[in-house]
Structures are given as C-alpha cells and as structure tokens.
Amino acid sequence: REKDDKYKTWRPKFLMAKEDKEHRKSSGDVERNIFKIKNSHSEKNKKMGKEEKAFRETFMYNKEINVINTATAECSVSSKRRVDLPLTAGEQLDVIDVTEGNAVICRNSEGRYGYVLVEHLNFR
C-alpha cells in the first residue's frame, strides 16, 4: 500500500477535472441510499422482535422458535379470536409448532404469530 501512495501524483481538489468531481458526488449518493436501506431493515427487525415478544407472552411459549415446515394458505380467513392468525389466499406461512387439536401455530411474512386450522393450509 505504501508503494502505491509513493507513486500517486498529488493534485489539489480545485485542479481536478469536473468529471472527477461529479463522479465522486454520485458515488456518495449511492452510499447514502445503502444506509437508508439498512435503517429500514433494522426497523423491520425491531418490529419482528416486538411481535415475537407479544407471541411468547400471549401463548406462554418458552421453547425455541424453529420452523418445522412451510405452507400456503388455500383461502382467506379472518381471525375470530385474538390468538388466531388472519390469512389471505396464497400467503406463505412458516409452521412453528403443532398443537393437540387440528390447529398449528404459524408465522406470516410480517412476523405475526397465531393459530391456523390445518384444513386451511396446503403443505408441499
């Protein structure tokens, strides 16, 4: 690295060509857009963590959350209870746990958790 610095010719900023200055500005704009994406990603992670905390409190779930299987919702179903997960047709769901009845605990793409009847799901 030191060798590269030795042979690099030094030019003051005011002697640089206009094209070089414009190129530097455009690369700076790209870096700023990357940071905005990271911020929105961190906000999404915070929301997912909040949903997980609410899920653990509501369902009294103290096991590790592992995805057992993925399923697709066959039809749209609104939630009748607070613990039920509302579905839209074609939505991808992660199956987290199986219960004793004909329901499973699922997570949707937004990070919300709830019970879903097996008859509404299509397993691949």
Side-chain angles (χ1 to χ4, degrees):
R1 187 173 180 185
E2 293 172 349
K3 291 179 182 178
D4 294 338
D5 291 338
K6 264 186 189 175
Y7 299 107
K8 191 174 182 181
T9 56
W10 180 82
R11 289 190 298 181
K13 288 184 181 177
F14 60 89
L15 293 178
M16 292 176 69
K18 275 189 175 181
E19 296 170 14
D20 293 340
K21 287 181 183 178
E22 290 173 4
H23 177 66
R24 282 191 11 224
K25 286 180 184 177
S26 64
S27 67
D29 294 339
V30 172
E31 289 176 2
R32 287 188 189 114
N33 290 337
I34 292 170
F35 291 127
K36 286 180 184 177
I37 292 169
K38 287 184 180 179
N39 287 339
S40 67
H41 186 66
S42 67
E43 289 173 10
K44 186 177 180 182
N45 284 340
K46 285 181 185 177
K47 184 179 178 184
M48 294 282 259
K50 194 182 236 184
E51 290 288 340
E52 183 179 332
K53 185 178 178 183
F55 160 71
R56 288 187 182 278
E57 290 173 0
T58 305
F59 288 79
M60 290 180 258
Y61 195 84
N62 54 8
K63 297 185 242 174
E64 187 177 339
I65 296 176
N66 291 325
V67 178
I68 299 169
N69 201 348
T70 56
T72 307
E74 289 184 341
C75 57
S76 297
V77 179
S78 61
S79 62
K80 294 178 177 70
R81 301 177 300 169
R82 183 175 170 226
V83 293
D84 292 336
L85 184 65
L87 301 175
T88 55
E91 183 179 15
Q92 294 285 334
L93 301 170
D94 295 331
V95 179
I96 303 298
D97 202 358
V98 181
T99 60
E100 291 180 13
N102 61 345
V104 291
I105 298 174
C106 293
R107 175 178 61 198
N108 65 5
S109 59
E110 296 173 1
R112 294 193 62 205
Y113 296 85
Y115 289 116
V116 178
L117 295 175
V118 176
E119 57 206 38
H120 298 303
L121 299 177
N122 181 18
F123 295 94
R124 292 185 224 169

